[in-house]
Amino acid sequence: MLVSLVLLSLGALAAVLAPRLVSRADWSEREPIVALWVWQCVVASVLLSFALSMTFSAAAAWQLVRGHVFAPAPHGVMEAYALGADEPWPAVLAVILALGGLWTLAMLAREIKEARDRRGKRRTELQVRAPLLPGETPGSERLVVLEGERPDAWWLPGTAPQLVITTAALRRLKGSQLDAVLAHEQGHARARHDWLLHCSAALANGFPQIPVFAAFRDEMHRLVELAADDVASKRFGRLTIALALVELNEDRGVFGPCPTPDAQLPQRVHRLLAAAPRLTAGRRLRLTAAAALVPVVPLLVAFVPALRALG
């Protein structure tokens, strides 16, 4: 069936070309929230193309599926898709794509479980290092201070999210820098960046050979930090959050000549200090609208035969 093959080809083409096209954009660091939206729309388009291809392949292969898919369709629409061909490939394609969908769900479930296990382990360690005082209830304090010689701060999500900060970090952070760090972490929590990271990691780990999913994971890790930096800088200024990042990380060697796992930190600080102007509101709106239209393309391809049949 032609529509199923076109949708499969469209998804494969987008999966290969989209990372190159989006990565060339020179505005992503200036508008990380818009860039996050663009990446989500691109990945949604790829997944939707594969899902629709699976649906039409299954409809071509099995009468039962065909009856459910085209039950609400007007007379003549099903005939426009030429589903009656007796060929083996629609069933094979539908099974392969269905297995891919199940594998994606399994990878997402594993990612969520591992994240919960890590969060539970960190909460257990937190209770050991900062035991509750008489009368306190777990999660009642939004800010937890730990005794530690290494400056560090992190957000612990969950039903009762908490910001954990070490005494060394408190000694280093001056003025409103602590408030800026808190605003940064709250920006992650309000935007539910943890779900973006879970989904991108599940897709990349489940399908490491597909370029768009690997790029999606890498860009999510980078862009969520930039977006949270912008949330903090809007309230406390770019210089404040930049100095806070330096104070928290200068002893880890991330600002030296040798690359480290936190190699993006110098780039984040430079971006904050450079203070590049944002895009105009009109251009942000156009980019947002254009990205929202990307998942519409596979829908249009899927409904072209039906629209032609209806005149």
Side-chain angles (χ1 to χ4, degrees):
M1 192 180 68
L2 182 60
V3 173
S4 181
L5 291 177
V6 171
L7 286 167
L8 181 63
S9 302
L10 180 64
L13 189 65
V16 174
L17 296 182
R20 301 177 186 177
L21 296 176
V22 180
S23 62
R24 291 177 183 175
D26 58 354
W27 48 264
S28 61
E29 288 196 355
R30 296 161 62 187
E31 296 294 344
I33 295 177
V34 177
L36 284 170
W37 171 249
V38 170
W39 272 104
Q40 291 175 73
C41 290
V42 168
V43 172
S45 177
V46 173
L47 296 177
L48 185 58
S49 297
F50 291 152
L52 289 172
S53 179
M54 178 195 68
T55 301
F56 286 115
S57 297
W62 298 294
Q63 181 66 38
L64 179 62
V65 178
R66 189 183 313 172
H68 284 86
V69 171
F70 291 94
H75 177 71
V77 169
M78 186 172 66
E79 289 76 10
Y81 286 87
L83 299 174
D86 188 14
E87 298 176 350
W89 67 263
V92 175
L93 181 58
V95 170
I96 292 175
L97 292 174
L99 290 176
L102 293 175
W103 181 248
T104 301
L105 294 177
M107 290 294 100
L108 181 59
R110 189 186 73 170
E111 180 68 27
I112 294 175
K113 181 181 182 301
E114 290 178 351
R116 287 180 175 176
D117 291 343
R118 290 193 299 268
R119 189 161 61 238
K121 183 179 179 180
R122 298 193 81 171
R123 285 195 180 277
T124 301
E125 294 175 351
L126 183 62
Q127 291 176 0
V128 172
R129 296 180 61 185
L132 297 175
L133 297 176
E136 285 187 323
T137 57
S140 59
E141 296 295 332
R142 299 294 297 273
L143 179 64
V144 179
V145 180
L146 291 181
E147 185 70 32
E149 296 301 322
R150 181 178 180 179
D152 202 0
W154 67 90
W155 186 261
L156 193 60
T159 54
Q162 295 174 305
L163 175 67
V164 184
I165 190 168
T166 63
T167 52
L170 288 178
R171 289 193 293 268
R172 282 181 172 270
L173 298 177
K174 305 174 183 63
S176 57
Q177 292 175 6
L178 176 60
D179 294 326
V181 171
L182 178 59
H184 173 99
E185 299 299 339
Q186 286 177 335
H188 284 311
R190 279 196 293 267
R192 300 310 304 264
H193 287 161
D194 54 332
W195 278 102
L196 276 177
L197 297 178
H198 293 333
C199 293
S200 62
L203 290 171
N205 293 334
F207 305 95
Q209 298 86 2
I210 300 181
V212 70
F213 295 151
F216 182 49
R217 175 193 56 194
D218 297 340
E219 285 298 290
M220 288 305 98
H221 281 278
R222 183 178 72 93
L223 292 173
V224 297
E225 295 298 336
L226 300 185
D229 287 344
D230 286 351
V231 170
S233 66
K234 287 178 183 178
R235 293 182 57 187
F236 301 99
R238 289 176 174 267
L239 180 60
T240 301
I241 186 63
L243 291 175
L245 290 174
V246 172
E247 293 292 346
L248 289 175
N249 296 282
E250 65 176 346
D251 291 341
R252 302 180 186 182
V254 298
F255 298 102
C258 299
T260 67
D262 297 320
Q264 291 183 355
L265 273 166
Q267 300 173 9
R268 289 168 56 191
V269 173
H270 176 74
R271 170 182 174 270
L272 289 166
L273 296 179
R278 297 187 62 189
L279 301 181
T280 63
R283 188 177 179 190
R284 292 199 303 271
L285 180 60
R286 289 193 296 272
L287 286 171
T288 303
L293 293 176
V294 173
V296 178
V297 175
L299 291 175
L300 290 177
V301 172
F303 284 108
V304 161
L307 295 174
R308 286 180 177 176
L310 296 175

